[in-house]
Amino acid sequence: MPQFASIGAGLIGRAWAIVFARSGYPVKLYDLDPAAVDRALGLIDQALADLAGCGLIEQPAAEIRARIQAVASLGEALAGADYVQESASERLDLKQQLYLEMDRLARPEAIFASSTSFIPTSQFSRDVPGRHRCLVAHPVNPPHLIPVVEISPASWTAADVVERTRQIQIQVGQTPVVVRKEIRGFLLNRLQSVLMAEAFRLVDDGYCSIEDLDVCLKDGLGLRWSFMGPYETIDLNAPGGVIDYAARFVNTMLEIDASAESAPRAPSADFFARVNGERRRVLPLAEKDQREAWRDRRLMELLAHKRAMAHKLG
Ligand SMILES: NC(=O)c1ccc[n+]([C@@H]2O[C@H](COP(=O)([O-])OP(=O)(O)OC[C@H]3O[C@@H](n4cnc5c(N)ncnc54)[C@H](O)[C@@H]3O)[C@@H](O)[C@H]2O)c1
């Protein structure tokens, strides 16, 4: 049975501990800051109770929780670990140092996967003697509710490390995708960046309100996108499939893309102050934690629904 270590017990590291433990595997949880581990354990208990409430875990929460062991040193966390998921703070110098240390302490066969959002494997592992075992396994927050994981190796990452990571992620219930060549932002954040740049522009240039922009996603594109990707979508959006779609729509889309309104530019100076004013009117900062809990409940209900539908409709 593979042994897991989750390094860093913040937002992401604690969620990874849930992912590994709920799949039946023991996981050691470590953070440089002991208070972060204490906080994480409380939040893990809460998340497990919520998952149980939505029927998203098959075993009693206490059984899953018992597989998560908080440890006080990096050496203890790595002892016997086969797969190490690193979710320490997003700083290149910190990660470079941490990987050197992990390489000294862990078994030679152990895989080192980083949750980093933006730092390529070739940067944080460059000087690590065992850099062939390093790669990115980038989750989406929170990974215990959103299954996609972007696996992004460096040119020197061993092919079998990529494949073993893919298999391990499948084993723990995640959905891995492989980024074949290193690129800033991997896949998901590149898609998100393009969409957000357009969302900023459309509101900043006065084409619509913030609320209406959000409606276009949550009551429009997002409905389909929650169970089929854009390529699957376009294949069904023209009677003759994707070739027909290309003939009907792609030139117009390319024209829109090349038009003056689409030229890349930064939002106006007061744009985010204005967005903040409107957002704080509907969601005071004091209620943000509650709203995050609400979001996670909605995600859990959606996941439960997706699972039931996948079973019923394929
Ligand atoms: N927050 C997100 O939405 C998100 C999503 C995907 C990936 N990530 C990535 O996951 C990683 C963690 O992000 P987060 O949001 O959980 O941050 P966070 O600030 O909530 O947690 C980071 C934790 O790392 C600990 N830490 C710092 N240095 C350490 C070390 N040397 N050894 C052990 N622990 C150490 C800190 O004490 C802190 O508790 C980052 O690389 C981030 O880019 C974040």
Side-chain angles (χ1 to χ4, degrees), residues 10-12 31-32 36 87-90 95 115-117 138-139 141:
L11 204 59
I12 299 299
D31 197 291
L32 200 57
S87 312
S89 315
E90 183 79 345
K95 289 200 196 276
S115 297
T116 177
S117 303
H138 172 241
N141 178 38

Side-chain angles (χ1 to χ4, degrees), residues 111-258:
I111 291 174
F112 296 159
S114 177
S115 297
T116 177
S117 303
F118 291 105
I119 306 173
T121 303
S122 56
Q123 286 186 20
F124 67 75
S125 72
R126 196 187 53 206
D127 301 325
V128 178
R131 64 187 192 173
H132 66 280
R133 53 153 142 187
C134 298
L135 78 185
V136 168
H138 172 241
V140 176
N141 178 38
H144 67 287
L145 298 181
I146 302 188
V148 71
V149 177
E150 300 181 283
I151 297 177
S152 174
S155 59
W156 52 70
T157 309
D160 87 292
V161 168
V162 176
E163 185 49 26
R164 273 160 60 210
T165 302
R166 221 177 60 77
Q167 291 302 336
I168 285 170
Q169 289 293 345
I170 293 169
Q171 238 173 308
V172 299
Q174 302 299 95
T175 316
V177 296
V178 176
V179 186
R180 292 181 179 164
K181 294 191 280 187
E182 283 196 323
I183 185 164
R184 189 133 190 262
F186 314 123
L187 309 177
L188 188 140
N189 276 332
R190 291 186 71 84
L191 293 171
Q192 186 162 238
S193 300
V194 173
L195 184 76
M196 286 316 299
E198 191 62 29
F200 296 152
R201 190 166 29 218
L202 288 171
V203 170
D204 198 20
D205 289 350
Y207 292 103
C208 65
S209 66
I210 290 171
E211 291 77 10
D212 282 357
L213 191 290
D214 276 350
V215 166
C216 285
L217 269 293
K218 65 185 178 187
D219 289 337
L221 290 171
L223 278 181
R224 273 195 307 242
W225 283 354
S226 71
F227 62 95
M228 54 199 293
Y231 281 100
E232 290 175 273
T233 300
I234 65 170
D235 200 29
L236 299 185
N237 272 1
V242 69
I243 295 288
D244 191 15
Y245 176 92
R248 286 169 191 243
F249 303 120
V250 168
N251 279 345
T252 309
M253 292 173 104
L254 293 176
E255 274 167 31
I256 292 173
D257 207 36

